[in-house]
Amino acid sequence: MPICIPDSLPAVDVLRNENVFIMTSSRAKTQEIRPLKLLFLNLMPKKIETENQFFRLLSNSPLQVNVQLLRIDQRESKNTPMEHLNSFYCDFDDIRHQNFDGLIITGAPLGKVPFSDVVYWPKLAEIITWAKEHVTSTMFVCWAVQAALNVLYDLPKFTRSQKLSGVYQHHIIKPNAILSRGFDDTFLAPHSRNADFPKDKIINYTDLTILAESDITGPYLMTTTDKRMAFVTGHPEYDSFTLANEYFRDIKAGIDPNIPENYFPDNNPNLTPKATWRSHAYLLFSNWLNYYVYQLTPYDLTTRNMTVDD
């Protein structure tokens, strides 16, 4: 949470020039507090597992967050009981008239599938477009980044010849960016995808700012200037065994996958992997909730008047 100091104190300008987040007394007096409304569009097959992963990260905040689970359609799931979906998830038509403080759209195992062949593509495109007017800040994760770049910037899918799977070192490009505040200069994050995010395409065909990247994976963390959208090309939410489960699943399916890089001790799948990215994952979601959602969203969601310091 921010520190609150008098408007005229010299530290206000000094700290703001250093991009340190502070709140002036005049703004603090006008703030009203309420729970945040977060919409969670879960596109992953194992929905309960994905819920646990994301909600674990979202819970590391002093803010009260009320989560509404959203499903893309009513098709029967092979990996999640319909009873669970019917009990806890809503349909888009149920909430399209509402406004939300935040929206998270997860990844999906559709890296090799053309957008036009994704059965729910029209509905997803509609939701991404809808969010521009109805959500204060949206976070896209992995495959959802591909989808959003296509819907919002008309970028095509860039499919890799070989799946990217492993835990990779990334470095910060914008040291003072608030979304990566508190990150080490270099940090680890998991990736599991069949897509590329070419840096030159991001720079030349979008208005996004790249905050962190890897020499191997390319851009990892990107954002719009107005903080309304954040793009995470990896899987910071993954548990320590998620990449292992995917690897052994693919072996069982006869895909003959490569061993995830920098993941198993001594590159030996018989050894137990350890999560080396968890602290930065928690920090990323905490920063997003605080700086991109809570500090920006209006108290009265019906007004859509963002609270932004000059």
Side-chain angles (χ1 to χ4, degrees):
M1 299 299 289
I3 59 171
C4 178
I5 57 180
D7 296 45
S8 57
L9 197 68
V12 170
D13 291 332
V14 173
L15 294 177
R16 278 183 172 162
N17 287 335
E18 296 177 6
N19 207 26
V20 173
F21 185 59
I22 57 94
M23 181 181 292
T24 59
S25 298
S26 59
R27 177 175 170 185
K29 290 177 182 178
T30 64
Q31 274 209 326
E32 297 176 282
I33 306 301
R34 61 163 176 78
L36 296 176
K37 286 181 59 179
L38 178 68
L39 190 62
F40 183 73
L41 178 54
N42 192 349
L43 302 177
M44 294 293 279
K46 297 182 177 180
K47 299 196 183 304
I48 296 176
E49 177 181 298
T50 302
E51 293 162 18
N52 294 338
Q53 292 174 346
F54 276 94
F55 296 168
R56 183 179 296 116
L57 298 178
L58 290 167
S59 69
N60 191 42
S61 169
L63 302 171
Q64 180 180 334
V65 182
N66 294 345
V67 179
Q68 174 63 65
L69 295 166
L70 176 65
R71 58 185 172 188
I72 195 69
D73 56 32
Q74 294 190 351
R75 287 178 304 134
E76 187 171 351
S77 171
K78 296 179 181 179
N79 300 282
T80 307
M82 283 302 294
E83 181 182 1
H84 179 86
L85 296 174
N86 292 334
S87 297
F88 299 108
Y89 281 74
C90 71
D91 299 314
F92 182 56
D93 286 340
D94 298 328
I95 54 89
R96 65 163 64 243
H97 62 284
Q98 298 181 35
N99 295 327
F100 289 84
D101 300 299
L103 165 63
I104 293 174
I105 304 181
T106 72
L110 298 169
K112 292 185 177 181
V113 181
F115 294 133
S116 59
D117 291 343
V118 175
V119 65
Y120 54 69
W121 180 254
K123 179 64 68 177
L124 179 60
E126 181 184 7
I127 292 173
I128 291 173
T129 303
W130 166 89
K132 294 193 295 182
E133 300 298 329
H134 291 268
V135 180
T136 299
S137 187
T138 300
M139 177 186 283
F140 303 96
V141 179
C142 199
W143 183 82
V145 174
Q146 298 178 53
L149 291 177
N150 181 261
V151 172
L152 301 172
Y153 299 100
D154 201 30
L155 284 185
K157 178 191 293 286
F158 299 98
T159 304
R160 295 174 55 89
S161 58
Q162 192 170 28
K163 182 179 180 179
L164 180 73
S165 177
V167 180
Y168 300 93
Q169 183 110 279
H170 302 73
H171 56 273
I172 296 294
I173 297 178
K174 302 289 184 181
N176 293 326
I178 58 176
L179 190 57
S180 56
R181 174 160 294 159
F183 278 38
D184 294 328
D185 292 339
T186 61
F187 63 95
L188 297 171
H191 288 262
S192 177
R193 51 183 166 86
N194 287 289
D196 266 333
F197 299 96
K199 184 176 181 178
D200 62 322
K201 302 296 184 183
I202 300 298
I203 293 174
N204 293 328
Y205 295 100
T206 79
D207 58 354
L208 300 180
T209 299
I210 301 173
L211 305 183
E213 65 179 2
S214 164
D215 294 337
I216 297 175
T217 71
Y220 170 71
L221 188 59
M222 303 176 288
T223 182
T224 55
T225 303
D226 61 6
K227 308 182 186 69
R228 298 291 304 281
M229 296 182 184
F231 301 77
V232 185
T233 65
H235 280 288
E237 80 282 2
Y238 269 12
D239 294 327
S240 56
F241 286 97
T242 307
L243 286 174
N245 292 338
E246 293 179 350
Y247 172 70
F248 294 124
R249 175 203 64 197
D250 290 348
I251 288 180
K252 187 176 180 180
I255 297 177
D256 191 25
N258 290 330
I259 297 174
E261 295 185 73
N262 310 312
Y263 177 60
F264 291 108
D266 299 325
N267 208 34
N268 184 349
N270 294 316
L271 299 180
T272 302
K274 303 293 184 182
T276 54
W277 57 89
R278 191 170 290 139
S279 60
H280 287 85
Y282 275 111
L283 193 52
L284 171 60
F285 278 75
S286 178
N287 285 346
W288 177 71
L289 274 178
N290 185 15
Y291 300 121
Y292 277 45
V293 181
Y294 173 70
Q295 297 299 336
L296 188 65
T297 199
Y299 180 78
D300 182 358
L301 276 173
T302 63
T303 67
R304 305 308 303 148
N305 293 325
M306 303 300 171
T307 308
V308 183
D309 277 334
D310 294 330

